[in-house]
Amino acid sequence: MNIYAVIAEFNPFHNGHEYLAGQIKKKDSDSALVAVMSGSFTQRGEPAVIDKYARAEAALFGGVDLVLELPAPWCFSGAEFFALGGVAVAEGLGVCDGLVFGSEVGGVEALIRCESRLSSEEYVAAYSAARKARPSKNTGTLRAEVYGEMYGESDILSGSNNLLALEYISALQKLGSRMTPHTVKRVGADFNSSELSGICSASAIRAALGRGVTDFSDFMPREAQKILTREISEGRIYDMSALDSAVVAMLRAADPRRLSGYMEVSGGLENRLCAAAEKCRTVTELVSAVKSKRYPESRVRRAILSCMLGVEMRHAEKNPLFTNVLAANGRGREVLALARKRANIAVLSKLSDSKLLPPEVMEQYALHMRAERLFELCSEAEPRRTGAVMR
């Protein structure tokens, strides 16, 4: 049995996720699929729309065998640390043979070649010189421009999935991972598209949910739709707006100099956040006032979370030393049993397991639990504190 890992948010689980899982099983029918899934917050710096247990449950019905948690702060870090954290968890299990990810280009060789160029001394030197010459240029735009000037192509740096795929490949190399990279060509709507279609983005579903739409049966597997319907009926929809007063009050009382040490807060962003808080009353207003070409909305939101939770760069720069089991089916339990013999990270099945963690791991776990308590405030529903979903 080959064991493949994917790193995902499943926010929420939709037809595109089922397609990815299906492609893996189609290529290798005797395989197991492990998902390292963002916990309560996501890379956009927002709370997941439904909680991690519900999303993990939907993933089991959609072809995933074992769902493990990518804890905070990696789940709401920028692409580099999000990828490093996810790959570190998958590698730390000691059982995964391959890492699978979506991409617009659909060919792993092209991605490996691009990553090699980006990490080369010649490219790094050229980019550094361009940054000095064009200091106000957006990082992503400048990176693609320099790449195009040097290698005559830059389309590979324009797709959201391609960019994350490059980070996964980089993370595999940095960690000396034994996992082989595989990519599945993305089909359907663009990653950031707001259009609802057969295979649409999770962003489109969340946007429609915010408009009051509740029927996504054309865009989600049947069981995933049933789970989402259940969560809606129970009031278990999470939104950062519930923290409006807390965020504004925190920033109004903060010394910008103290904020500058937190993850994603640098280059004057701390001053912009505090100044905007004096005029704004909601997180949405705050983000709108602060975002710019230099500070994209997702970075501003991640910065706000870091300030709320006291997350420093040193926290994200370390690899995760633990993961939580969120869901498993029969085959997933087989993988889990094997991982417990080989893993070099702590694999926790229930809250009480944390009592046995050594101090270094406990420090990470404590930060993660602060994020969990903050997430619980993003909905009026009674928090679901439970163990893994087993099928």
Side-chain angles (χ1 to χ4, degrees):
M1 175 177 66
N2 290 316
I3 302 172
Y4 297 93
V6 296
I7 300 166
E9 293 184 329
F10 299 151
N11 186 35
F13 193 92
H14 58 68
N15 288 346
H17 297 131
E18 185 179 52
Y19 174 81
L20 178 65
Q23 290 298 297
I24 297 169
K25 297 298 178 75
K26 181 179 179 180
K27 182 178 179 181
D28 186 352
S29 59
D30 185 31
S31 63
L33 181 57
V34 177
V36 180
M37 188 190 78
S38 294
S40 296
F41 289 95
T42 69
Q43 200 188 353
R44 293 175 184 268
E46 299 174 323
V49 69
I50 57 178
D51 74 35
K52 58 190 180 184
Y53 296 108
R55 284 151 48 225
E57 181 184 2
L60 290 188
F61 286 107
V64 178
D65 299 300
L66 174 63
V67 185
L68 302 174
E69 183 172 14
L70 176 61
W74 298 275
C75 62
F76 63 84
S77 296
E80 177 184 359
F81 294 114
F82 175 86
L84 269 170
V87 173
V89 169
E91 178 67 19
L93 296 177
V95 299
C96 295
D97 303 293
L99 178 71
V100 184
F101 43 81
S103 68
E104 287 85 3
V105 71
V108 75
E109 294 80 9
L111 292 164
I112 291 173
R113 181 175 64 251
C114 180
E115 195 287 324
S116 178
R117 288 171 172 175
L118 290 172
S119 60
S120 68
E121 291 183 6
E122 62 176 2
Y123 177 82
V124 172
Y127 177 82
S128 179
R131 171 53 69 197
K132 291 178 182 178
R134 292 170 265 181
S136 61
K137 180 74 72 170
N138 173 271
T139 298
T141 301
L142 181 61
R143 188 166 79 148
E145 287 181 359
V146 174
Y147 190 90
E149 292 166 2
M150 295 182 68
Y151 305 112
E153 58 181 41
S154 59
D155 288 349
I156 199 168
L157 296 178
S158 63
S160 299
N161 289 92
N162 283 349
L163 294 174
L164 197 49
L166 291 169
E167 294 293 351
Y168 291 141
I169 292 170
S170 176
L172 288 171
Q173 294 177 351
K174 289 176 181 176
L175 296 173
S177 174
R178 60 185 288 272
M179 293 186 290
T180 302
H182 304 270
T183 189
V184 174
K185 186 174 179 60
R186 182 181 176 86
V187 296
D190 181 72
F191 180 79
N192 292 309
S193 173
S194 59
E195 175 188 357
L196 285 172
S197 59
I199 295 183
C200 62
S201 68
S203 300
I205 294 175
R206 292 195 303 273
L209 191 61
R211 298 192 300 269
V213 177
T214 58
D215 183 4
F216 299 99
S217 53
D218 290 336
F219 320 116
M220 302 173 67
R222 182 171 61 89
E223 293 298 333
Q225 170 67 71
K226 288 171 62 176
I227 290 168
L228 179 60
T229 299
R230 181 193 71 200
E231 298 302 293
I232 293 172
S233 68
E234 295 179 1
R236 295 184 182 280
I237 299 298
Y238 292 79
D239 194 295
M240 193 73 170
S241 63
L243 301 179
D244 283 343
S245 297
V247 169
V248 172
M250 181 272 297
L251 289 174
R252 287 185 180 182
D255 181 341
R257 294 170 297 182
R258 295 290 299 275
L259 300 183
S260 63
Y262 293 139
M263 185 179 74
E264 299 278 14
V265 185
S266 62
L269 181 55
E270 64 276 14
N271 296 317
R272 292 174 65 91
L273 284 169
C274 291
E278 294 297 328
K279 304 174 183 178
C280 300
R281 300 185 67 86
T282 69
V283 173
T284 298
E285 291 175 358
L286 184 67
V287 172
S288 180
V290 173
K291 69 179 182 180
S292 65
K293 288 185 178 180
R294 185 178 183 185
Y295 304 117
E297 180 176 332
S298 56
R299 177 177 172 182
V300 175
R301 289 185 176 277
R302 292 194 298 266
I304 290 171
L305 274 181
S306 295
C307 292
M308 293 288 287
L309 295 168
V311 178
E312 301 173 13
M313 279 305 303
R314 66 181 179 88
H315 294 127
E317 288 171 345
K318 294 180 179 180
N319 293 332
L321 298 175
F322 78 97
T323 184
N324 293 308
V325 179
L326 299 180
N329 59 20
R331 176 153 286 200
R333 288 195 288 274
E334 292 178 22
V335 174
L336 188 58
L338 185 61
R340 292 196 186 283
K341 298 176 183 178
R342 300 183 183 177
N344 59 22
I345 62 172
V347 182
L348 312 179
S349 295
K350 52 186 181 297
L351 287 173
S352 59
D353 290 346
S354 64
K355 297 177 181 178
L356 304 176
L357 296 175
E360 184 180 11
V361 186
M362 183 57 79
E363 180 186 9
Q364 289 189 354
Y365 187 80
L367 188 155
H368 170 73
M369 291 307 296
R370 290 205 301 272
E372 290 296 288
R373 300 291 85 83
L374 187 66
F375 175 78
E376 291 173 358
L377 297 177
C378 294
S379 171
E380 294 183 359
E382 187 69 21
R384 179 185 281 123
R385 298 175 182 171
T386 183
V389 178
M390 296 294 180
R391 282 185 52 225

